[in-house]
Amino acid sequence: GAVVSQHPSWVICKSGTSVKIECRSLDFQATTMFWYRQFPKQSLMLMATSNEGSKATYEQGVEKDKFLINHASLTLSTLTVTSAHPEDSSFYICRASGGAGNEQFFGPGTRLTVL
Amino acid sequence: GENVEQHPSTLSVQEGDSAVIKCTYSDSASNYFPWYKQELGKRPQLIIDIRSNVGEKKDQRIAVTLNKTAKHFSLHITETQPEDSAVYFCAATLTGGGNKLTFGTGTQLKVEL
């Protein structure tokens, strides 16, 4: 199956700094990227959906100016958590959608800890 | 939008017993229902899925049933093994509508020796 990678796999940062998470689809064209956030012992909550070359669509309650999403190519999408605070500490997972068979693949996730 | 409820939140079974996890969805337009297994700190892994034109699907020890009228779908695991211990999530979506998956709240399955 297709491979979707995320970088970094984990990151620790100080409160107030920004963190960029990359999601790459390695062998298929991801026309749509979904970004999820998962707090401990909770479900995956969709944050936003982005189509290549278009602005992301954010779910209700997700601040678009705080969680910047870029999907400039069919193989790369980035999520930037700006001015991170401890409450942003979570597991962030991308899900790439696309390809001839409309395939769907999750990235391995990024554990963000904000001190 | 779609809302998916999942029960139970925790399930403990003895090795070799069966486990059943149930989900309900709200949007009658949803037509694709995948189930995921997630181990701690890892990505969800698709274990089985079912489409709305099918009532049941089986893959070795795992089966899924769908009742469109009642908007229920269930995961059945038979002959459970310790390696089945994980968190299981159901999900629902309308394919062709951007495949925006809505997840259930998850079930922590523990298979005891």
Side-chain angles (χ1 to χ4, degrees):
Chain A
V3 176
V4 175
S5 68
Q6 268 184 253
H7 178 81
S9 55
W10 60 270
V11 57
I12 301 173
C13 69
K14 292 182 179 179
S15 185
T17 60
S18 294
V19 174
K20 180 184 282 189
I21 301 169
E22 294 185 347
C23 178
R24 293 181 184 274
S25 58
L26 301 182
D27 58 359
F28 79 108
Q29 295 184 327
T31 50
T32 304
M33 197 70 79
F34 302 90
W35 285 94
Y36 293 86
R37 179 168 54 182
Q38 186 177 31
F39 292 110
K41 297 189 177 182
Q42 293 189 24
S43 187
L44 289 85
M45 300 303 296
L46 181 65
M47 299 175 68
T49 304
S50 72
N51 292 304
E52 183 263 337
S54 302
K55 286 185 178 179
T57 301
Y58 290 80
E59 295 298 302
Q60 192 171 12
V62 178
E63 300 174 60
K64 63 179 182 180
D65 294 330
K66 180 173 179 65
F67 299 98
L68 303 179
I69 291 173
N70 182 286
H71 191 175
S73 79
L74 290 170
T75 59
L76 174 65
S77 177
T78 61
L79 166 67
T80 301
V81 183
T82 62
S83 188
H85 291 285
E87 57 265 30
D88 298 323
S89 298
S90 187
F91 192 51
Y92 291 86
I93 311 177
C94 62
R95 180 169 70 96
S97 172
N102 196 24
E103 297 145 299
Q104 315 278 326
F105 297 97
F106 278 98
T110 297
R111 171 74 58 192
L112 170 63
T113 301
V114 185
L115 302 176
Chain B
E2 178 64 276
N3 182 50
V4 179
E5 295 188 357
Q6 184 172 345
H7 299 282
S9 56
T10 60
L11 179 59
S12 186
V13 299
Q14 293 293 313
E15 183 180 9
D17 288 350
S18 296
V20 180
I21 302 171
K22 299 183 179 182
C23 289
T24 60
Y25 60 99
S26 62
D27 189 349
S28 57
S30 291
N31 61 359
Y32 176 65
F33 308 91
W35 284 88
Y36 292 89
K37 175 184 180 182
Q38 187 181 31
E39 296 178 344
L40 190 62
K42 297 192 175 179
R43 79 185 89 192
Q45 289 185 302
L46 178 68
I47 57 172
I48 196 166
D49 55 15
I50 191 166
R51 298 186 185 275
S52 59
N53 59 347
V54 175
E56 184 174 356
K57 183 176 178 182
K58 189 174 181 181
D59 182 4
Q60 299 184 336
R61 296 187 297 109
I62 296 172
V64 57
T65 58
L66 171 64
N67 182 329
K68 282 194 302 181
T69 303
K71 290 187 277 187
H72 289 173
F73 59 114
S74 300
L75 177 71
H76 304 252
I77 305 174
T78 59
E79 301 173 33
T80 54
Q81 301 167 3
E83 51 264 39
D84 294 330
S85 297
V87 179
Y88 291 81
F89 292 99
C90 61
T93 189
L94 170 63
T95 56
N99 296 297
K100 183 173 151 180
L101 281 175
T102 300
F103 285 86
T105 48
T107 296
Q108 174 74 62
L109 173 64
K110 184 176 180 181
V111 180
E112 298 176 333
L113 296 171

